[in-house]
Amino acid sequence: MSVTGSILVVDDDPAICVVVGEALRRQGHKVKTASSIRERGALIDSFAPDVLITDVMLPDGDGLDGVADILERKPGLSVIVLSAQNTLNTAIRATEKGAFEYLPKPFDLNELARAVGDALGTGKVNESDGAEGALPHDGLPLVGRSPAMQEVYRTIARVLSNDLSILVLGESGTGKELVAEAIHVLGQRRTKPFVAINMAAIPRELIEAELFGYEKGAFTGASVRTAGKFEQAQGGTLFLDEIGDMPMEAQTRLLRVLQSGEVTTVGGSKPVRVNVRIIAATNKDLPRLIEENKFRQDLYYRLNVVPISLPALRERREDVILLARHFLDRAAQEGLPRKSLSDDAAQLLMAYHWPGNVRELQNLMQRLAVLSRENVIAADVLRNSLPLDMVPADYAAPADQLGQAVREWAKRQLGIGLGQPNRNLHDDLLAVIEPILFQETLASVDGNQIRAAGLLGINRNTLRKKLTDYGLDPLQLRIAD
């Protein structure tokens, strides 16, 4: 039996208050709404809600202001934050204030209902442990408002107050090191060193010396004792990039260090106690490497306590223009000519496949900031800077064709549906499109629901419900070997 409670919804958009309020009432909750911080404060005392759902941008101030005080006065209250300011900063601030959950707008009603159920079932779990303004929010390198990036932000926010090992997964150029830096800069180890080492860039015979250090005379050229990366990162964060390229023999020793918390230098005999947070990253399929006996399973479990999957840029196309403008602005701040994008150029950026991901986009914007003669970058200039075989001449055609198909379908249905006021064309259209979209997406990732949900930009629980509703079996959607 589901748990019900009293919910206060605070948003200056009446439509959101009505929709959210009605959805929660249908689940048996008592709901009241408010449109300002002032009204929220009055209802907190008179209505005494179990859960507060609040927007950030309210007419009389920042909705996050005062949340910590409310939770101090009402320790049994759970706070769910909604915001159209879909940035990592907002997620971090919400967590610092003690929010139980943070959901970006536009949000999924099913996801909101799940968050309310979790809040009523478990109570408030996040505590604010820092002074106001204690963390350096400005200038963080992570940019994106897509649902996939919102999930990344939420995960980052949840790991800042602990030292759990993190494994960042993603293709080359997606920003894995930026995630590691953000966790360090915003976390409780931010005053200590952040040390990074790329396993793929170091000769295999030198990896152990780089990681654990070496004694004088340990090998030819070792003229003095040298501290390894673990010792250099003492008290801070050690970022192990491209961990999938680490040789097996070094993996064994790394596992021993992670288990014991001690390192022994190459050529040394006395262990040194180390205290570091481990963040690893890879673009490799580690489970497959385990099957091929190229990666230790026990090390994988030790590193993969909290996984963070970074989407490829082609999987979050809604962020492409946001990122492009961000990189052009940053180039201008660094002294390069200030440039902007034409509408046609923006369309072309959205159509491109981006095999090099965010790194490729950043390099392209920097290059165009220097080489483009005009202040507004046109599509033809952009096209000349991209591989021609990867940019279709009719790059806008697929969206046009889909739009035309929907237009024709709507005309037919409206003709058929005259005199049928109870028809729901929106649901009818989704029933046509969604099963096809889910089938193709699941097939492309061999039935992996986590990856499919990321590509679709929806929550995995939402995907599961949709599959059940449409009678789709993910096991039957795997690509045949």
Side-chain angles (χ1 to χ4, degrees), residues 55-292:
D55 191 16
V56 173
M57 296 294 291
L58 293 171
D60 51 349
D62 187 327
L64 287 175
D65 290 345
V67 167
D69 293 336
I70 292 173
L71 290 175
E72 187 173 346
R73 290 191 297 111
K74 308 286 185 180
L77 180 68
S78 294
V79 178
I80 297 173
V81 174
L82 308 176
S83 178
Q85 294 180 309
N86 305 331
T87 67
L88 175 58
N89 292 355
T90 307
I92 299 300
R93 288 186 62 223
T95 302
E96 286 180 335
K97 298 294 185 180
F100 176 84
E101 180 63 282
Y102 158 76
L103 296 176
K105 292 181 178 181
F107 54 87
D108 184 291
L109 275 176
N110 291 326
E111 180 72 2
L112 178 59
R114 177 204 60 75
V116 169
D118 289 347
L120 289 171
T122 62
K124 181 168 63 68
V125 297
N126 292 325
E127 298 291 342
S128 177
D129 60 357
E132 178 71 19
L135 297 183
H137 295 139
D138 296 335
L140 292 176
L142 291 173
V143 176
R145 296 178 179 174
S146 62
M149 287 305 294
Q150 297 309 308
E151 185 62 33
V152 171
Y153 296 160
R154 285 196 291 270
T155 304
I156 290 175
R158 289 167 180 158
V159 301
L160 295 182
S161 61
N162 58 64
D163 283 330
L164 297 176
S165 297
I166 296 167
L167 181 61
V168 187
L169 306 168
E171 296 179 6
S172 294
T174 50
K176 296 186 288 296
E177 185 165 356
L178 298 181
V179 169
E181 290 176 352
I183 292 171
H184 175 77
V185 168
L186 297 169
Q188 53 192 2
R189 293 177 178 263
R190 57 186 174 274
T191 60
K192 300 297 183 179
F194 175 85
V195 178
I197 179 172
N198 188 321
M199 300 301 172
I202 302 173
R204 59 190 302 123
E205 64 273 12
L206 296 180
I207 283 183
E208 291 193 25
E210 286 284 335
L211 277 175
F212 312 124
Y214 53 87
E215 297 295 324
K216 177 180 179 180
F219 50 81
T220 303
S223 57
V224 295
R225 184 193 187 278
T226 301
K229 300 301 184 184
F230 270 91
E231 287 187 72
Q232 294 172 29
Q234 187 71 267
T237 302
L238 178 59
F239 177 54
L240 305 174
D241 200 7
E242 304 298 352
I243 192 70
D245 292 288
M246 191 177 202
M248 284 292 284
E249 57 272 19
Q251 292 179 32
T252 301
R253 192 167 178 195
L254 173 62
L255 178 64
R256 190 179 305 119
V257 171
L258 297 182
Q259 290 172 336
S260 67
E262 296 179 337
V263 297
T264 303
T265 57
V266 176
S269 58
K270 184 178 180 180
V272 177
R273 193 76 184 169
V274 290
N275 174 20
V276 299
R277 180 179 201 158
I278 298 295
I279 303 177
T282 184
N283 59 6
K284 301 289 182 64
D285 184 346
L286 293 186
R288 177 167 293 180
L289 292 182
I290 291 171
E291 292 177 0
E292 297 172 353

Side-chain angles (χ1 to χ4, degrees), residues 376-452:
V376 178
I377 299 170
D380 57 343
V381 173
L382 182 59
R383 181 185 290 277
N384 292 335
S385 299
L386 295 171
L388 294 179
D389 59 343
M390 301 189 73
V391 183
D394 56 344
Y395 57 84
D400 290 344
Q401 291 169 6
L402 177 59
Q404 185 60 32
V406 172
R407 186 174 292 106
E408 294 300 324
W409 179 90
K411 289 179 179 178
R412 289 196 301 271
Q413 298 304 312
L414 289 169
I416 295 171
L418 291 176
Q420 301 180 35
N422 293 327
R423 291 202 62 183
N424 188 330
L425 288 181
H426 178 262
D427 287 349
D428 290 347
L429 178 59
L430 290 183
V432 172
I433 293 176
E434 282 193 329
I436 298 172
L437 179 61
F438 294 153
Q439 286 174 324
E440 292 300 320
T441 304
L442 280 161
S444 72
V445 295
D446 200 23
N448 186 310
Q449 293 185 47
I450 296 177
R451 292 180 61 194

Side-chain angles (χ1 to χ4, degrees), residues 296-308:
R296 292 187 61 114
Q297 187 175 48
D298 45 6
L299 177 59
Y300 173 72
Y301 290 136
R302 175 71 65 169
L303 297 172
N304 191 36
V305 178
V306 179
I308 297 179

